[in-house]
Amino acid sequence: MTTAPDRPFLDTVAHATATPEAPQPWADLGLKPDEYQRIRDILDRRPTAAELAMYSVMWSEHCSYKSSKIHLAQFGEKTTDAMREHLLVGIGENAGVVDIGDGWAVTFKVESHNHPSFVEPYQGAATGVGGIVRDIMAMGARPIAVMDQLRFGAIDHPDTPRVVHGIVSGVGGYGNSLGLPNIGGELVFDPSYQGNPLVNALCVGSMRHEDIHLANASGVGNKIVLFGARTGGDGIGGVSVLASETFDEHGKSAAKRPSVQVGDPFQEKVLIECCLELFAAKVVEGIQDLGGAGLSCATSELASAGDGGMHVDLDLVPLRDPSLRAEEILMSESQERMMAVVRPDLLDAFLAITEKWDVETAVLGEVTETGRLVIDFKGETVVDVPPRTVAHDGPVYHRPFARPAWQDALVADTVVAAGLARPGTPAELRATLLALLASPNLASKAWVTDQYDRYVQGNTKLAQPDDGGVVRVDEVTGLGVALSTDANGRYTKLDPYTGAQLALAESYRNVATTGARPLAVTDCLNFGSPEDPDAMWQLVEAVRGLADGCQVLGIPVTGGNVSLYNGTGEAGKIDSSIHPTPVVGVLGVLDDVARATNSGWTAPGLSVYLLGVTRAELDGSAWADVAHAHLGGVPPRVDLAAERTLAEILINASRDHLIDAAHDLSEGGLAQALVESSLRYGTGVRVSVDALCARDGITPFEALFSESTARAIVAVPRSEEVRFADLCGARGFPLLKLGVTADAPLSGADHHGDAPAPAVEVADLFTVPLAEARAASDATLPRYFG
């Protein structure tokens, strides 16, 4: 086939049929030999360059979940009818939707943008936020809040500031420009993430039940409309391996284009308002955001989920770069774009609204009855495929997996076996607390969170550093939701099954401490290469643990994300991957956000109680990490029945105004929680651990720093102590009074003659003035990044 000088080569369906042996760069696009052959079998010919691009991105791990979907099926299989009571839309759509009462629904989801954020931290993180926001928009909802879960390498590594500054600025710059409050998240530093940071972004949106929209192209003759930003050369092949190649007639690379998208939050803000008006006008039949895989995803998924036929003309796509080839247009992940299915009789009304908002719009084609996705370019057909084979019927792998050879040695290396020195004297215990307070993962996150707007829109009730974020949905009744996201890669490294359940339990507990009733789960599963049996075993165990845990807690997984190939080491080695990190987000409902319980003491004279049992559980703990850089042993035991009872107590106590504050116990144990609750509003506390040590058979060190689960501390007004004790007693839940909140410690010895100031005082052991604790906690992040 010859090409005129003024007309670039175009690999059409006709040309592909006539040149069955033409070389193609399928391996460069991340496809395996058997996958390429499968595409040829489906089409009964070789694919065109455009078809090859579509299959490569849609069959990528990111889009198809080909290594994980057989295991993810457990989430559906283990969801009971009772768990579906509040579930309006489950796994399989852009995001899950939950009924929260009074005709209101919320949709929420967490996704990853890990690899782009290492290559280009600002844009990688920014477009991660933009992408998850559009997922929420595509369900018909108004986005109302975001959260972020960030994990970086060692805080003192020379490359960490580059990544931290870029990612934090990207998250804040995009979210703040959209006017969305950032109500919580996580910030973790660990050498395992050095070459592979994790950027997981969550968004929650609200809508009325009747406003729910789904992604499908139904109704023969309905129009396919692309609207939003123009399509450019950024983000091409971002979801597939090395998929930024363009092709000539010999299968050679013609150019390289950037694989990280470039975002424009102001254009997305306009797009949000435009979409909401389109929904309100009821002129949209189906809608899909253009995120990973761009037009390849939107066209194939809409067609596959609808009547199965679609015809599109790529010449009608508004372009920023007119030199883009068909495969590049299909693979581009340019941001701030949406695709809608619109009835012909409503098209003028649709276009009037997009014109009002000055949103560029193009009618690309229509729904057909052919059962095939047909795409034309330059007057020729370049794609003619069964859409389901692209979007839903991709490869499914039963990857081999096995418990790693190094796992037994890791588990056997407990803090006891390692002979780690433990603090024993009051001075040593005090120094240990200050060291933990100043450690990167327990120190104040204010340097980060102060760069985010947490209260824009005026509906935020609680935000970091509270245990959970709380945001109002209905301004009339005060109905709202609470959200928390949690994960502990150290625990999951020791035991993936238990580690996933611990993440679930902590997130569930954090939602309950606000007084909200947990309803649903979203997850982002960050693991190593699925081709490494060690990493695959970690994923399989974590999924099994999470599915089993959700069944016990009675809350369904509504959707989420799997991010694999996170690692920079050699497969089969203990350090070949990141710490396996299953991030679990839990959403709960509050009938009135005004009664949400915060995590800090608001006044002196409140009685402080510990709920739950403390065991000597220090393997994988913050103390083992900070004091000894040790990771080994077994993580704390999980007791989901106890977590359910604890949550019930916290929710009822909040509803009946029996508690003034509640804070879960997790990393850093009781000592960390006491300081955090005191620092929240500047009110100190006086406690004793003598009764706790006697009751649970532990030492003062274990009482202060153990990370046993199903525990919380609460502040109870003295007038409500009897009622609160009865609430716990009726459920047989362990309760122990530790002390009282106070303006000053009993002893002024640590104040050197000055007037006594608020402090955390542990009787007969030590006193730490809040000013000293705050100085230790606040200084760490600014010292490295400020």
Short mmCIF file of all heavy atoms in Angstrom, two decimals, residues 453-500:
data_model
loop_
_atom_site.label_atom_id
_atom_site.label_comp_id
_atom_site.label_asym_id
_atom_site.label_seq_id
_atom_site.Cartn_x
_atom_site.Cartn_y
_atom_site.Cartn_z
N ASP A 453 -8.05 23.09 51.56
CA ASP A 453 -9.22 23.76 52.13
C ASP A 453 -10.16 22.70 52.67
O ASP A 453 -10.72 21.91 51.90
CB ASP A 453 -9.92 24.61 51.07
CG ASP A 453 -10.91 25.58 51.68
OD1 ASP A 453 -11.46 25.26 52.76
OD2 ASP A 453 -11.14 26.64 51.09
N ARG A 454 -10.33 22.66 54.00
CA ARG A 454 -11.14 21.61 54.62
C ARG A 454 -12.58 22.05 54.85
O ARG A 454 -13.43 21.21 55.15
CB ARG A 454 -10.51 21.19 55.95
CG ARG A 454 -9.28 20.33 55.79
CD ARG A 454 -8.52 20.19 57.09
NE ARG A 454 -7.67 21.34 57.33
CZ ARG A 454 -6.97 21.54 58.45
NH1 ARG A 454 -7.03 20.68 59.42
NH2 ARG A 454 -6.20 22.61 58.58
N TYR A 455 -12.86 23.35 54.74
CA TYR A 455 -14.18 23.83 55.14
C TYR A 455 -14.91 24.61 54.06
O TYR A 455 -15.99 25.16 54.31
CB TYR A 455 -14.04 24.69 56.41
CG TYR A 455 -13.49 23.90 57.57
CD1 TYR A 455 -12.14 23.95 57.89
CD2 TYR A 455 -14.31 23.06 58.31
CE1 TYR A 455 -11.62 23.20 58.94
CE2 TYR A 455 -13.81 22.29 59.36
CZ TYR A 455 -12.46 22.37 59.66
OH TYR A 455 -11.96 21.62 60.69
N VAL A 456 -14.37 24.64 52.85
CA VAL A 456 -15.06 25.31 51.74
C VAL A 456 -16.45 24.68 51.55
O VAL A 456 -16.64 23.50 51.82
CB VAL A 456 -14.21 25.22 50.45
CG1 VAL A 456 -14.05 23.80 49.99
CG2 VAL A 456 -14.80 26.08 49.34
N GLN A 457 -17.41 25.45 51.13
CA GLN A 457 -18.82 25.09 50.95
C GLN A 457 -19.60 25.16 52.27
O GLN A 457 -20.83 25.18 52.26
CB GLN A 457 -19.02 23.72 50.30
CG GLN A 457 -18.49 23.60 48.89
CD GLN A 457 -18.87 22.29 48.22
OE1 GLN A 457 -19.73 21.56 48.69
NE2 GLN A 457 -18.24 22.00 47.10
N GLY A 458 -18.92 25.17 53.39
CA GLY A 458 -19.60 25.35 54.68
C GLY A 458 -20.34 24.15 55.20
O GLY A 458 -21.13 24.27 56.14
N ASN A 459 -20.11 22.96 54.62
CA ASN A 459 -20.83 21.77 55.07
C ASN A 459 -19.95 20.78 55.84
O ASN A 459 -20.43 19.72 56.24
CB ASN A 459 -21.45 21.05 53.87
CG ASN A 459 -22.65 21.80 53.32
OD1 ASN A 459 -23.48 22.29 54.07
ND2 ASN A 459 -22.72 21.92 52.00
N THR A 460 -18.69 21.14 56.07
CA THR A 460 -17.79 20.24 56.80
C THR A 460 -18.01 20.40 58.29
O THR A 460 -17.89 21.50 58.83
CB THR A 460 -16.32 20.55 56.46
OG1 THR A 460 -16.13 20.44 55.05
CG2 THR A 460 -15.41 19.58 57.19
N LYS A 461 -18.30 19.29 58.96
CA LYS A 461 -18.43 19.30 60.41
C LYS A 461 -17.14 18.85 61.07
O LYS A 461 -16.70 19.46 62.05
CB LYS A 461 -19.59 18.38 60.82
CG LYS A 461 -19.72 18.14 62.33
CD LYS A 461 -20.00 19.41 63.10
CE LYS A 461 -20.21 19.09 64.59
NZ LYS A 461 -20.38 20.30 65.40
N LEU A 462 -16.54 17.79 60.58
CA LEU A 462 -15.27 17.30 61.12
C LEU A 462 -14.31 17.04 59.97
O LEU A 462 -14.72 16.64 58.88
CB LEU A 462 -15.47 15.99 61.91
CG LEU A 462 -16.35 16.01 63.16
CD1 LEU A 462 -16.43 14.61 63.76
CD2 LEU A 462 -15.84 17.01 64.18
N ALA A 463 -13.03 17.27 60.22
CA ALA A 463 -11.99 16.98 59.23
C ALA A 463 -10.71 16.70 60.00
O ALA A 463 -10.64 16.88 61.22
CB ALA A 463 -11.80 18.16 58.28
N GLN A 464 -9.70 16.25 59.27
CA GLN A 464 -8.44 15.96 59.92
C GLN A 464 -8.03 17.15 60.79
O GLN A 464 -8.19 18.28 60.36
CB GLN A 464 -7.37 15.71 58.84
CG GLN A 464 -6.59 14.45 59.11
CD GLN A 464 -5.61 14.12 57.99
OE1 GLN A 464 -5.11 14.99 57.31
NE2 GLN A 464 -5.32 12.87 57.81
N PRO A 465 -7.57 16.89 62.04
CA PRO A 465 -7.09 15.62 62.59
C PRO A 465 -8.14 14.78 63.33
O PRO A 465 -7.75 13.88 64.09
CB PRO A 465 -6.01 16.08 63.57
CG PRO A 465 -6.53 17.37 64.09
CD PRO A 465 -7.23 18.03 62.93
N ASP A 466 -9.41 15.02 63.15
CA ASP A 466 -10.41 14.14 63.76
C ASP A 466 -10.33 12.75 63.12
O ASP A 466 -9.83 12.58 62.01
CB ASP A 466 -11.81 14.73 63.61
CG ASP A 466 -12.03 15.94 64.50
OD1 ASP A 466 -11.90 15.80 65.73
OD2 ASP A 466 -12.30 17.03 63.97
N ASP A 467 -10.88 11.77 63.83
CA ASP A 467 -10.78 10.38 63.37
C ASP A 467 -11.42 10.19 62.00
O ASP A 467 -10.91 9.45 61.17
CB ASP A 467 -11.47 9.44 64.36
CG ASP A 467 -10.63 9.19 65.59
OD1 ASP A 467 -9.50 9.72 65.67
OD2 ASP A 467 -11.08 8.45 66.49
N GLY A 468 -12.55 10.82 61.77
CA GLY A 468 -13.25 10.71 60.50
C GLY A 468 -13.67 12.08 60.01
O GLY A 468 -13.85 13.02 60.79
N GLY A 469 -13.82 12.20 58.70
CA GLY A 469 -14.36 13.42 58.14
C GLY A 469 -15.87 13.34 58.10
O GLY A 469 -16.44 12.29 57.79
N VAL A 470 -16.54 14.43 58.43
CA VAL A 470 -18.00 14.47 58.43
C VAL A 470 -18.46 15.67 57.60
O VAL A 470 -17.99 16.80 57.82
CB VAL A 470 -18.58 14.57 59.86
CG1 VAL A 470 -20.10 14.76 59.81
CG2 VAL A 470 -18.23 13.32 60.66
N VAL A 471 -19.38 15.43 56.67
CA VAL A 471 -19.87 16.49 55.81
C VAL A 471 -21.39 16.39 55.69
O VAL A 471 -21.95 15.30 55.61
CB VAL A 471 -19.19 16.43 54.41
CG1 VAL A 471 -19.51 15.14 53.70
CG2 VAL A 471 -19.55 17.62 53.56
N ARG A 472 -22.04 17.53 55.73
CA ARG A 472 -23.51 17.60 55.65
C ARG A 472 -23.96 17.41 54.21
O ARG A 472 -23.36 17.92 53.27
CB ARG A 472 -23.98 18.94 56.18
CG ARG A 472 -25.50 19.13 56.19
CD ARG A 472 -25.87 20.41 56.92
NE ARG A 472 -25.13 21.55 56.38
CZ ARG A 472 -24.71 22.58 57.13
NH1 ARG A 472 -24.95 22.60 58.43
NH2 ARG A 472 -24.04 23.58 56.57
N VAL A 473 -25.05 16.65 54.04
CA VAL A 473 -25.65 16.41 52.73
C VAL A 473 -26.90 17.25 52.55
O VAL A 473 -27.11 17.86 51.49
CB VAL A 473 -25.97 14.91 52.55
CG1 VAL A 473 -26.83 14.67 51.32
CG2 VAL A 473 -24.67 14.09 52.46
N ASP A 474 -27.75 17.28 53.56
CA ASP A 474 -29.03 18.00 53.48
C ASP A 474 -29.01 19.16 54.47
O ASP A 474 -28.97 18.95 55.69
CB ASP A 474 -30.18 17.05 53.80
CG ASP A 474 -31.55 17.69 53.64
OD1 ASP A 474 -31.61 18.88 53.28
OD2 ASP A 474 -32.56 17.00 53.87
N GLU A 475 -29.03 20.38 53.96
CA GLU A 475 -28.96 21.54 54.84
C GLU A 475 -30.23 21.73 55.67
O GLU A 475 -30.20 22.42 56.69
CB GLU A 475 -28.68 22.80 54.01
CG GLU A 475 -27.32 22.78 53.33
CD GLU A 475 -26.99 24.07 52.62
OE1 GLU A 475 -27.76 25.05 52.79
OE2 GLU A 475 -25.99 24.11 51.89
N VAL A 476 -31.31 21.15 55.25
CA VAL A 476 -32.58 21.31 55.99
C VAL A 476 -32.60 20.42 57.23
O VAL A 476 -32.87 20.88 58.34
CB VAL A 476 -33.78 20.98 55.08
CG1 VAL A 476 -35.09 21.04 55.87
CG2 VAL A 476 -33.83 21.94 53.90
N THR A 477 -32.31 19.15 57.06
CA THR A 477 -32.39 18.20 58.18
C THR A 477 -31.06 17.98 58.89
O THR A 477 -31.04 17.48 60.02
CB THR A 477 -32.88 16.83 57.68
OG1 THR A 477 -31.90 16.27 56.79
CG2 THR A 477 -34.21 16.97 56.94
N GLY A 478 -29.96 18.34 58.25
CA GLY A 478 -28.65 18.08 58.84
C GLY A 478 -28.12 16.69 58.52
O GLY A 478 -27.05 16.31 59.00
N LEU A 479 -28.85 15.92 57.72
CA LEU A 479 -28.40 14.58 57.33
C LEU A 479 -27.02 14.67 56.68
O LEU A 479 -26.76 15.55 55.86
CB LEU A 479 -29.40 13.98 56.34
CG LEU A 479 -29.11 12.58 55.80
CD1 LEU A 479 -29.28 11.54 56.88
CD2 LEU A 479 -30.02 12.27 54.61
N GLY A 480 -26.13 13.74 57.07
CA GLY A 480 -24.79 13.80 56.51
C GLY A 480 -24.09 12.46 56.57
O GLY A 480 -24.67 11.45 56.98
N VAL A 481 -22.84 12.46 56.13
CA VAL A 481 -22.06 11.23 56.08
C VAL A 481 -20.71 11.44 56.75
O VAL A 481 -20.19 12.56 56.79
CB VAL A 481 -21.86 10.73 54.64
CG1 VAL A 481 -23.17 10.29 54.04
CG2 VAL A 481 -21.17 11.77 53.77
N ALA A 482 -20.15 10.34 57.25
CA ALA A 482 -18.80 10.32 57.79
C ALA A 482 -17.96 9.37 56.94
O ALA A 482 -18.47 8.36 56.43
CB ALA A 482 -18.81 9.86 59.24
N LEU A 483 -16.69 9.68 56.79
CA LEU A 483 -15.79 8.87 55.98
C LEU A 483 -14.44 8.73 56.68
O LEU A 483 -13.96 9.67 57.32
CB LEU A 483 -15.56 9.52 54.62
CG LEU A 483 -16.67 9.35 53.58
CD1 LEU A 483 -16.58 10.46 52.55
CD2 LEU A 483 -16.54 7.99 52.90
N SER A 484 -13.86 7.56 56.53
CA SER A 484 -12.49 7.35 56.98
C SER A 484 -11.80 6.41 56.01
O SER A 484 -12.44 5.53 55.42
CB SER A 484 -12.46 6.76 58.39
OG SER A 484 -11.13 6.48 58.79
N THR A 485 -10.50 6.59 55.82
CA THR A 485 -9.71 5.66 55.03
C THR A 485 -8.51 5.23 55.86
O THR A 485 -7.88 6.05 56.52
CB THR A 485 -9.20 6.30 53.72
OG1 THR A 485 -8.41 7.45 54.04
CG2 THR A 485 -10.35 6.71 52.83
N ASP A 486 -8.20 3.94 55.81
CA ASP A 486 -7.10 3.43 56.62
C ASP A 486 -6.41 2.27 55.93
O ASP A 486 -7.02 1.54 55.14
CB ASP A 486 -7.60 2.98 58.00
CG ASP A 486 -8.02 4.15 58.87
OD1 ASP A 486 -7.13 4.85 59.37
OD2 ASP A 486 -9.24 4.38 59.01
N ALA A 487 -5.15 2.10 56.26
CA ALA A 487 -4.36 0.94 55.82
C ALA A 487 -3.10 0.91 56.67
O ALA A 487 -2.65 1.95 57.17
CB ALA A 487 -4.00 1.02 54.35
N ASN A 488 -2.55 -0.27 56.85
CA ASN A 488 -1.28 -0.41 57.55
C ASN A 488 -0.44 -1.44 56.79
O ASN A 488 -0.64 -2.64 56.92
CB ASN A 488 -1.50 -0.84 59.00
CG ASN A 488 -0.21 -0.79 59.81
OD1 ASN A 488 0.83 -1.27 59.39
ND2 ASN A 488 -0.29 -0.20 60.99
N GLY A 489 0.47 -0.93 55.95
CA GLY A 489 1.28 -1.82 55.14
C GLY A 489 2.20 -2.71 55.96
O GLY A 489 2.53 -3.83 55.54
N ARG A 490 2.61 -2.25 57.13
CA ARG A 490 3.47 -3.07 57.98
C ARG A 490 2.71 -4.30 58.48
O ARG A 490 3.21 -5.42 58.43
CB ARG A 490 4.00 -2.24 59.15
CG ARG A 490 5.03 -1.21 58.74
CD ARG A 490 5.33 -0.22 59.84
NE ARG A 490 5.77 -0.85 61.07
CZ ARG A 490 7.01 -1.29 61.33
NH1 ARG A 490 7.95 -1.19 60.38
NH2 ARG A 490 7.31 -1.85 62.47
N TYR A 491 1.51 -4.08 58.97
CA TYR A 491 0.69 -5.22 59.40
C TYR A 491 0.43 -6.18 58.23
O TYR A 491 0.48 -7.41 58.39
CB TYR A 491 -0.66 -4.75 59.92
CG TYR A 491 -0.65 -4.05 61.27
CD1 TYR A 491 -1.75 -3.28 61.65
CD2 TYR A 491 0.41 -4.17 62.15
CE1 TYR A 491 -1.78 -2.64 62.88
CE2 TYR A 491 0.38 -3.53 63.38
CZ TYR A 491 -0.72 -2.76 63.74
OH TYR A 491 -0.77 -2.13 64.96
N THR A 492 0.11 -5.61 57.07
CA THR A 492 -0.24 -6.46 55.93
C THR A 492 0.97 -7.24 55.43
O THR A 492 0.81 -8.34 54.89
CB THR A 492 -0.85 -5.60 54.81
OG1 THR A 492 -1.84 -4.73 55.35
CG2 THR A 492 -1.52 -6.47 53.75
N LYS A 493 2.14 -6.67 55.59
CA LYS A 493 3.36 -7.41 55.23
C LYS A 493 3.50 -8.66 56.12
O LYS A 493 3.89 -9.73 55.64
CB LYS A 493 4.58 -6.52 55.39
CG LYS A 493 5.90 -7.16 54.99
CD LYS A 493 6.15 -7.02 53.51
CE LYS A 493 7.55 -7.40 53.14
NZ LYS A 493 7.88 -7.04 51.76
N LEU A 494 3.15 -8.51 57.39
CA LEU A 494 3.27 -9.64 58.33
C LEU A 494 2.20 -10.69 58.07
O LEU A 494 2.45 -11.89 58.20
CB LEU A 494 3.17 -9.13 59.77
CG LEU A 494 4.26 -8.16 60.23
CD1 LEU A 494 4.00 -7.71 61.66
CD2 LEU A 494 5.64 -8.78 60.11
N ASP A 495 1.00 -10.25 57.72
CA ASP A 495 -0.11 -11.18 57.49
C ASP A 495 -1.14 -10.47 56.62
O ASP A 495 -1.93 -9.67 57.13
CB ASP A 495 -0.73 -11.60 58.83
CG ASP A 495 -1.84 -12.63 58.66
OD1 ASP A 495 -2.40 -12.74 57.56
OD2 ASP A 495 -2.17 -13.32 59.65
N PRO A 496 -1.16 -10.72 55.31
CA PRO A 496 -2.07 -9.99 54.42
C PRO A 496 -3.54 -10.16 54.77
O PRO A 496 -4.32 -9.20 54.64
CB PRO A 496 -1.76 -10.56 53.04
CG PRO A 496 -0.39 -11.12 53.16
CD PRO A 496 -0.26 -11.61 54.57
N TYR A 497 -3.95 -11.36 55.16
CA TYR A 497 -5.36 -11.59 55.51
C TYR A 497 -5.75 -10.72 56.70
O TYR A 497 -6.74 -9.97 56.66
CB TYR A 497 -5.57 -13.07 55.83
CG TYR A 497 -6.99 -13.45 56.19
CD1 TYR A 497 -7.88 -13.88 55.21
CD2 TYR A 497 -7.45 -13.38 57.50
CE1 TYR A 497 -9.19 -14.23 55.53
CE2 TYR A 497 -8.75 -13.73 57.84
CZ TYR A 497 -9.62 -14.15 56.85
OH TYR A 497 -10.91 -14.50 57.17
N THR A 498 -4.95 -10.80 57.76
CA THR A 498 -5.23 -10.02 58.96
C THR A 498 -5.03 -8.53 58.71
O THR A 498 -5.80 -7.70 59.19
CB THR A 498 -4.33 -10.48 60.11
OG1 THR A 498 -4.58 -11.86 60.37
CG2 THR A 498 -4.58 -9.68 61.38
N GLY A 499 -4.00 -8.17 57.92
CA GLY A 499 -3.74 -6.77 57.66
C GLY A 499 -4.89 -6.07 56.97
O GLY A 499 -5.23 -4.93 57.31
N ALA A 500 -5.52 -6.75 56.02
CA ALA A 500 -6.68 -6.17 55.34
C ALA A 500 -7.84 -5.99 56.31
O ALA A 500 -8.54 -4.97 56.29
CB ALA A 500 -7.10 -7.04 54.17
#
